[in-house]
DNA sequence: GACCTGCTGCGGGCTG
């Protein structure tokens, strides 16, 4: 490899030799940045750091080369203790990384141990015995180590000895219950170690990283954080747009009619054949599992004997099948397909190794800018190849009574807005207001499970004042926190009890259920069997009867037998079938995207992306409809007996507006990028809004009374209603700027009149 | 009209 003096001159010979033998031409930008910046002399303390670069830009080596060089100079004694802790949000990523980190670590005599639920006993026993080297694991397994503390668990002790923690795919922990969980675990590890263990996060460029990642990596940090990013120019990204028109009704009566277009999935499948005709490997992202199954079925049928293979990859496909697909993509099977396209959900959004992909197609727009950027970024990664993405949008054939949202061609504008923002590098801001009370509940129990009773003050200091909940204003108040603990003793399932006035311990009076390791939960699933073999999973929240049909995992099936007790569905092949139903809630629009869509409708933002003729026509039509409805001036639209209101804001303010209207007796709900109000006129709504404007805004927890579903996270059901409403308000509502929004809605309309 | 992620413990069957 080309000589890179900061590496070849400063790094230990064993490590240099190992890298030279890999046949790499040069280091990537992020690797050069890390090698130049991070200390290799154990006399210099390791900093907290964030390495920011795209998936598969060699971030793993970028962080491990300096860490291993640093460790090689450190005197090692015989005492048990791991050297490094690597944390990944995915088991699959750990399995990939063993192969990359293992040989590097071997050069300085360190073993690498995997530890997650898919790792066998033999391998875990080896890690348990050695308690040295590098441990690769998940947040939930770390929770497991903590939960076993009470039973004299030497592993957690050995983990607390590490010189640094590496967190892979740090962006996957932004703004989530799981992220807060990880912060708590790392904080508890620091306390156990009696020092601040350096944290190094690997992140994609998906937000204002300096601000966001700092808070995620180490809340309330008083030590500086190094930000490392490539010096070299970012590679080129191209995103194109194609729009397809769906027939008005996709049923038998329209089939064969000349004037009627083909069903959407047939059009998509044909286009995929064209777009991927020259590529060896491709990825297609859908917004739902059902969408993946249907499109894969159509594409497989249409492409038969063309040499192009289509595979389905989502969470309901068995792991063994998914792993086989990933191996085929990497050409690790005998006689791999020459041309292969995987149709997936966000299962392949994070950095699981799937080799080199030439092109990415997104079916219908994503709801966040970050998702689009991350997905397109999975293409053309080696060398200087730019990323190439294409969005296929399905719009509906317009009828005389078409809904305004269809006339506005909303999906086309959503696709353009997400593309523009993605290319500009503007991403959604995480919601820092989130209280994460469900996760707090989990961590109180986890801390108490360690054994000794704790006082209110101790718990408050550990989790709130000095810990990951430091930024929640309500919780800072010790009385509020004490009340939270007290409610935990009052619930039907009370896992906590008072020892004395001010001391708490894990309940002893009841049978304590098995500990929960994850802060999220998954609904129970049927396993679908064909000929005794599991072919996939379906959620039990949807009921099935004998004779029902569905498409799943590259086949059409008919239900032969349903067993709720065994959680199994037995199926036979069927001649035809529709998409499986998975259930779920509507997707929520982001304010960033909404505001940009409005600008494009108004012609304030041109769009320069590559598009087909239909897309160009859709933009013309959408803008024309926007004018026709007068939406350039006002925000209300009477549609039949209902009103459609266009706030052009993010989902939190929109949801606040919806609850305000419901509180006054209106049947309001969010519908795509608009608010639909049933059985009301624009004038009714305006009168109400004027009234709302005059009154003081209710508190968020008060408004939350109007919400249909208060429970969102795993342990919300164990919280008292007041805490549930508080958590709901902080997560889904925003009072800031709502008065201004109401004002804007009324003035815009007055100006128009 | 949504997507994804994780854990243990136990028992049965197979291999050496």
């Amino acid at each position: 490899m080309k000589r890179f003096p900061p590496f070849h001159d400063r790094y230990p010979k064993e490590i240099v030799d190992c890298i030279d033998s890999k046949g790499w031409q040069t280091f990537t930008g992020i690797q050069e940045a890390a090698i130049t910046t991070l200390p290799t002399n154990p006399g210099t303390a390791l900093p907290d750091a964030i390495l920011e670069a795209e998936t598969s830009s060699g971030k793993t080596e970028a962080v491990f080369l300096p860490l291993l060089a640093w460790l090689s100079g450190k005197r090692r004694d015989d005492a048990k203790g791991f050297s490094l802790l690597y944390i990944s949000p995915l088991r699959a990523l750990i399995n990939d990384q063993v192969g990359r980190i293992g040989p590097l670590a071997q050069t300085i005599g360190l073993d690498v141990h995997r530890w997650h639920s898919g790792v066998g006993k033999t391998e875990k026993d080896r890690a348990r015995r050695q308690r040295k080297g590098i441990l690769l694991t998940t947040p939930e397994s770390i929770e497991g180590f903590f939960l076993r503390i009470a039973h004299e668990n030497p592993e957690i002790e050995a983990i607390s000895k590490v010189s640094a923690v590496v967190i892979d795919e740090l962006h996957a922990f932004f703004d989530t219950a799981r992220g807060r969980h990880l912060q708590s675990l790392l904080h508890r590890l620091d306390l156990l170690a009696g020092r601040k263990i350096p944290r190094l996060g690997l992140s994609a460029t998906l937000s204002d990283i300096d601000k966001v990642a700092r808070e995620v990596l180490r809340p309330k940090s008083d030590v500086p954080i190094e930000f490392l990013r490539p010096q070299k120019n970012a590679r080129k990204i191209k995103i194109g747009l194609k729009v397809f028109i769906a027939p008005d009704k996709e049923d038998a009566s329209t089939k064969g009619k000349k004037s009627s277009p083909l069903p959407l999935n047939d059009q998509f499948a044909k286009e995929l054949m064209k777009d991927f005709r020259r590529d060896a490997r491709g990825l297609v992202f859908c917004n739902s599992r059902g969408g993946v199954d249907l499109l894969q079925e159509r594409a497989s049928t249409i492409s038969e004997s063309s040499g192009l293979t289509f595979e389905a990859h989502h969470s309901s496909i068995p792991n063994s099948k998914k792993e086989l697909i990933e191996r085929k993509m990497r050409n690790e099977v005998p006689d791999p397909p020459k041309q292969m396209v995987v149709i997936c959900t966000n299962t392949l959004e994070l950095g699981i190794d799937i080799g080199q992909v030439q092109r990415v197609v997104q079916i219908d727009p994503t709801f966040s800018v970050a998702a689009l950027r991350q997905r397109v970024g999975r293409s053309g990664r080696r060398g200087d190849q730019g990323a190439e993405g294409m969005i296929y949008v399905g719009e509906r054939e317009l009828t005389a009574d078409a809904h305004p949202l269809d006339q506005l061609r909303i999906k086309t504008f959503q696709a353009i807005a997400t593309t523009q923002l993605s290319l500009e590098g503007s991403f959604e801001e995480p919601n820092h207001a989130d209280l994460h009370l469900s996760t707090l509940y989990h961590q109180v129990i986890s801390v108490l499970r360690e054994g000794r009773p704790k006082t209110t003050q101790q718990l408050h200091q550990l989790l709130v004042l000095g810990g990951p909940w430091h930024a929640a204003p309500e919780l800072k108040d010790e009385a509020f926190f004490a009340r939270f603990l007290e409610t935990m003793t009052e619930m039907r399932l009370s896992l906590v009890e008072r020892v004395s006035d001010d001391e708490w311990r894990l309940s002893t009076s009841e049978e304590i259920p098995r500990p929960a390791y994850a802060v999220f939960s998954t609904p129970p699933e049927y396993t679908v069997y064909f000929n005794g073999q599991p072919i996939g999973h379906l959620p039990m929240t949807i009921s099935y009867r004998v004779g029902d049909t569905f498409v799943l995992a590259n086949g059409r099936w008919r239900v032969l037998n349903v067993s709720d007790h065994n959680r199994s569905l037995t199926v036979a092949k069927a001649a035809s079938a529709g998409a499986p139903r998975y259930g779920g809630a509507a997707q929520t629009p982001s304010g960033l995207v909404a505001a940009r869509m409005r600008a494009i409708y108004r012609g304030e933002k041109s769009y320069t992306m590559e598009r087909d003729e239909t897309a160009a026509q859709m933009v013309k039509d959408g803008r024309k409809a926007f004018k026709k409805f007068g939406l350039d001036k006002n925000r209300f639209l009477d549609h039949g007996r209902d009103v459609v209101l266009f706030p052009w804001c993010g989902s939190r303010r929109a949801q606040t507006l919806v609850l305000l209207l419901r509180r006054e007796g209106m049947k309001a709900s969010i519908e795509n990028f608009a608010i639909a109000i049933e059985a009301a006129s624009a004038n009714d709504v305006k009168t109400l809004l004027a009234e709302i404007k005059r009154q003081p805004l209710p508190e968020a927890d008060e408004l939350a009374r109007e919400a249909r579903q208060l429970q969102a996270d795993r342990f919300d059901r164990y919280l008292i209603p007041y805490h549930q409403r508080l958590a709901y308000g902080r997560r889904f509502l925003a009072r800031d700027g709502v008065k201004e929004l109401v004002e804007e809605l009324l003035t815009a309309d007055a100006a128009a009149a």
Side-chain angles (χ1 to χ4, degrees), chain A residues 679-745:
Chain A
S681 72
N683 275 331
D684 298 342
V685 179
K686 282 178 216 166
T687 313
L688 256 184
L689 284 177
E691 188 55 37
I692 287 169
K693 198 182 106 184
R694 270 192 293 277
Q695 293 166 7
L697 264 190
E699 292 297 327
D701 64 275
E702 195 50 43
L703 267 181
R705 287 183 195 279
E706 305 294 332
R708 285 175 189 146
Q709 175 61 270
L710 278 178
Q711 298 169 11
D713 284 339
R714 184 167 185 180
F715 305 101
D716 280 339
R717 50 198 284 245
Y718 299 127
L719 306 183
I720 58 168
Y722 169 61
H723 289 146
Q724 286 183 6
R725 294 201 311 271
L726 210 56
Y728 178 96
R730 297 295 291 275
R731 176 173 303 178
F732 296 110
L733 305 178
R735 291 169 79 245
D736 285 358
V738 165
K739 280 259 169 166
E740 289 80 354
L741 176 65
V742 172
E743 176 83 40
E744 198 186 315
L745 296 176

Side-chain angles (χ1 to χ4, degrees), chain A residues 278-488:
Chain A
R278 288 203 203 93
D279 300 320
R281 295 288 180 265
L283 271 184
V284 177
F285 287 95
C286 293
N287 291 335
S288 72
R289 287 173 283 181
V292 169
D293 290 325
L294 278 186
L295 182 57
Q296 193 266 343
E297 196 271 335
R298 282 325 298 151
S300 281
T301 309
I302 290 177
S303 70
E304 217 171 5
S305 74
S306 74
L308 196 57
T309 319
F310 289 91
E311 301 272 10
H313 191 290
H314 58 68
S315 70
S316 295
I317 306 282
N319 276 334
S320 57
K321 179 125 197 251
K322 277 188 280 195
E323 281 161 21
L324 179 63
I325 292 171
E326 291 155 25
R327 282 206 302 280
K328 280 189 193 167
M329 286 291 272
R330 297 191 300 260
N331 295 317
E332 286 175 5
V333 295
D335 197 19
K338 281 204 173 59
Q339 286 187 289
M340 176 173 177
V341 173
V342 177
I343 306 179
C344 60
T345 55
N346 58 359
T347 42
L348 289 178
E349 198 172 295
L350 293 181
I352 295 171
D353 186 7
I354 44 162
Q356 190 167 2
V357 170
Q358 280 85 43
R359 198 182 309 275
V360 166
V361 168
Q362 165 69 40
I363 305 287
D364 277 345
T366 57
F367 277 77
S368 85
V369 184
L372 178 64
R373 181 65 190 78
Q374 182 84 343
R375 291 174 181 192
V376 173
R378 296 230 54 173
S379 66
R381 292 176 281 118
R382 305 280 153 81
D384 282 334
Q385 283 186 42
E388 272 202 56
M390 183 66 75
I391 307 177
Y392 292 1
V393 167
E395 291 280 9
R396 238 182 294 216
E397 199 174 24
L398 293 184
T399 53
D401 57 345
H403 192 278
L405 289 174
D406 285 332
Q407 296 191 50
L408 284 167
R409 302 309 193 183
I410 208 115
K411 284 203 279 183
T412 301
F413 284 74
Q414 189 183 340
I416 297 170
T418 46
T419 301
Q420 285 187 348
L421 291 162
S422 167
L423 297 179
E424 290 165 19
S426 309
F427 300 101
E428 290 82 11
E429 286 252 353
N431 172 13
H432 292 299
D434 206 317
L435 280 176
H436 291 299
L437 289 184
S438 159
T439 306
L440 179 62
Y441 175 98
H442 178 252
Q443 285 299 287
V444 167
I445 290 171
S446 174
V447 167
L448 291 179
R449 253 187 220 271
E450 283 179 20
R452 278 183 229 109
K454 295 251 183 321
T455 65
T456 307
Q457 209 207 337
Q458 281 171 330
L459 287 167
H460 194 225
Q461 177 61 36
L462 195 156
L463 294 167
V464 182
L465 295 183
W469 275 269
H470 76 94
E474 292 88 346
L475 286 166
K476 272 187 195 161
D477 176 10
E478 195 180 306
F480 180 96
F481 183 74
R483 176 75 194 125
F484 182 81
L485 295 174
E486 203 176 302
T487 62
M488 290 179 73

Side-chain angles (χ1 to χ4, degrees), chain A residues 118-129:
Chain A
V119 172
K121 195 171 178 298
T122 324
E123 207 175 326
K124 281 182 172 170
D125 281 346
R126 186 177 70 118
R128 254 193 201 117
R129 245 189 347 264

Side-chain angles (χ1 to χ4, degrees), chain A residues 14-215:
Chain A
E14 315 85 81
I15 296 181
V16 170
D17 287 348
C18 176
I19 290 299
D20 278 340
S21 72
K22 279 184 183 285
W24 294 357
Q25 297 301 306
T26 56
F27 283 118
T28 64
I30 189 65
Q31 289 168 346
E32 288 191 357
I35 288 169
T36 327
T37 315
L38 292 175
T40 50
N41 177 351
T44 310
L46 291 167
D48 279 349
I50 303 227
L51 285 75
E52 183 193 349
E54 289 193 60
T55 293
S56 213
S57 53
K59 285 194 292 267
T60 308
E61 288 82 5
V63 75
F64 276 99
L65 286 176
L67 287 177
L68 291 172
W70 190 92
L71 283 169
S72 77
K74 195 172 177 253
R75 204 170 55 82
R76 262 173 263 161
D77 49 32
D78 287 337
K80 301 274 183 194
F82 291 104
S83 295
L84 293 174
L85 173 63
Y86 163 96
I87 300 169
S88 153
L90 302 176
R91 293 178 1 169
L93 213 51
I94 291 175
N95 299 342
D96 280 353
Q97 298 288 36
V98 168
R100 295 174 70 185
I101 304 168
L104 278 177
Q106 270 313 323
T107 61
I108 64 159
L110 288 180
D111 280 342
V112 172
H113 308 278
R114 297 185 303 160
W115 190 296
H116 59 67
S117 61
V119 172
K121 195 171 178 298
T122 324
E123 207 175 326
K124 281 182 172 170
D125 281 346
R126 186 177 70 118
R128 254 193 201 117
R129 245 189 347 264
Q130 259 196 29
R131 303 206 291 285
K132 276 176 174 296
I134 303 177
L135 186 68
L136 315 184
T137 191
T138 63
E140 288 72 20
S141 280
I142 299 177
E143 177 70 56
F145 289 124
F146 269 110
L147 288 176
R148 288 192 290 269
I149 269 194
H151 320 291
E152 293 191 7
N153 158 19
E155 287 92 36
I156 191 76
E157 196 72 34
I159 294 173
S160 74
K161 300 281 198 314
V162 294
S163 297
V165 181
V166 174
I167 307 160
D168 207 348
E169 308 276 6
L170 186 70
H171 53 275
F173 293 106
F174 291 1
D175 211 11
T176 63
R178 210 173 173 207
R180 182 58 58 89
H181 184 203
L182 177 61
Q183 289 171 346
S184 183
L185 294 169
L186 292 179
H187 178 61
R188 290 165 65 190
L189 201 63
D190 276 1
L191 293 176
L192 195 67
R195 69 200 157 97
K196 285 182 177 158
I197 304 172
R199 300 177 191 170
L200 297 103
L202 313 182
S203 176
T205 307
L206 293 177
S207 63
D208 185 352
I209 207 101
D210 295 30
K211 234 172 33 195
V212 179
R214 182 192 302 275
E215 183 60 23

Side-chain angles (χ1 to χ4, degrees), chain A residues 447-623:
Chain A
V447 167
L448 291 179
R449 253 187 220 271
E450 283 179 20
R452 278 183 229 109
K454 295 251 183 321
T455 65
T456 307
Q457 209 207 337
Q458 281 171 330
L459 287 167
H460 194 225
Q461 177 61 36
L462 195 156
L463 294 167
V464 182
L465 295 183
W469 275 269
H470 76 94
E474 292 88 346
L475 286 166
K476 272 187 195 161
D477 176 10
E478 195 180 306
F480 180 96
F481 183 74
R483 176 75 194 125
F484 182 81
L485 295 174
E486 203 176 302
T487 62
M488 290 179 73
T489 69
E490 292 163 357
M491 299 305 288
R492 194 170 48 81
L493 175 70
S494 141
L495 296 182
V496 173
E497 64 184 25
R498 268 179 204 279
V499 183
S500 66
D501 227 20
D502 194 36
E503 234 182 340
W504 316 82
R505 70 173 170 215
L506 207 64
S507 175
T508 49
S509 57
E510 279 181 70
E511 186 71 17
I512 296 293
R514 283 242 187 102
Y517 298 86
V519 294
F520 56 88
S521 60
T522 39
E525 286 183 324
Y526 289 111
T527 302
V528 183
Y529 291 94
F530 172 63
N531 275 347
Q533 292 297 313
I535 56 158
H537 304 276
L538 289 174
M540 293 185 78
T541 44
I542 308 267
S543 69
Y544 287 90
R545 281 183 304 181
V546 173
D548 283 351
T549 58
F550 52 81
V551 172
L552 174 71
N554 201 8
R556 296 176 289 264
W557 314 102
R558 194 178 69 249
V559 177
L560 288 183
N561 184 47
V562 183
S563 167
D564 284 343
H565 180 257
N566 295 331
R567 299 187 175 186
S568 72
L569 290 179
T570 319
V571 297
K573 296 213 170 187
S576 66
R581 289 165 301 160
Y582 291 101
Q587 315 197 42
T588 55
S590 102
L592 199 64
V593 176
R596 177 57 60 91
M597 283 168 67
R598 180 171 187 236
I600 300 170
Y601 275 117
R602 290 161 63 107
E604 289 161 12
K605 282 275 174 187
S606 61
Y607 73 108
T608 48
M609 67 191 291
E610 195 185 303
R611 74 274 181 187
D612 65 2
E613 266 174 45
T614 318
Q617 189 59 46
M618 289 300 110
V619 174
K620 268 189 210 153
D621 292 356
R623 278 179 172 162

